[in-house]
Amino acid sequence: MPAYMVIACKIHDREKFISGYGAAVPEIVKQYGGEYLIVAPGAELLEGSLEGYSSIAISKWENKGAARKFWDSPEYAEVKKLREGLADAEVLIVEAP
């Protein structure tokens, strides 16, 4: 069953975020079998408490296990450090038939 990783980010320094983390992550996603469906700024909060989390990324995976394999990988652990102090993130994984 396909799984989707949904990430909402509040980016504090967009230029540094994009040139470091944003440039490095797509190759690792691809390496682990994921595919980005959307990566975009400008999300509009209609309800809830994610004010300022206006950058959204949604990736598709073969299943939840594949998404977790990427998330827990040593390659991603290294790249994830590149967003420290540059962005706050909320991350979800959901399976969908």
Side-chain angles (χ1 to χ4, degrees), residues 12-84:
H12 309 296
D13 187 328
R14 183 166 293 282
E15 187 175 311
K16 284 184 182 178
F17 180 87
I18 291 171
S19 66
Y21 178 84
V25 170
E27 186 59 36
I28 300 169
V29 167
K30 185 177 178 180
Q31 175 185 336
Y32 279 86
E35 165 192 12
Y36 276 114
L37 301 178
I38 186 170
V39 177
E44 180 182 352
L45 181 66
L46 299 178
E47 183 175 337
S49 59
L50 290 176
E51 188 68 41
Y53 285 75
S54 59
S55 292
I56 304 297
I58 300 173
S59 54
K60 182 178 180 181
W61 302 85
E62 182 180 343
N63 53 47
K64 198 173 186 178
R68 287 303 304 249
K69 189 173 180 181
F70 154 77
W71 186 259
D72 296 332
S73 73
E75 296 91 344
Y76 182 65
E78 281 302 308
V79 170
K80 189 175 176 182
K81 294 175 187 177
L82 297 175
R83 71 172 160 91
E84 290 177 3

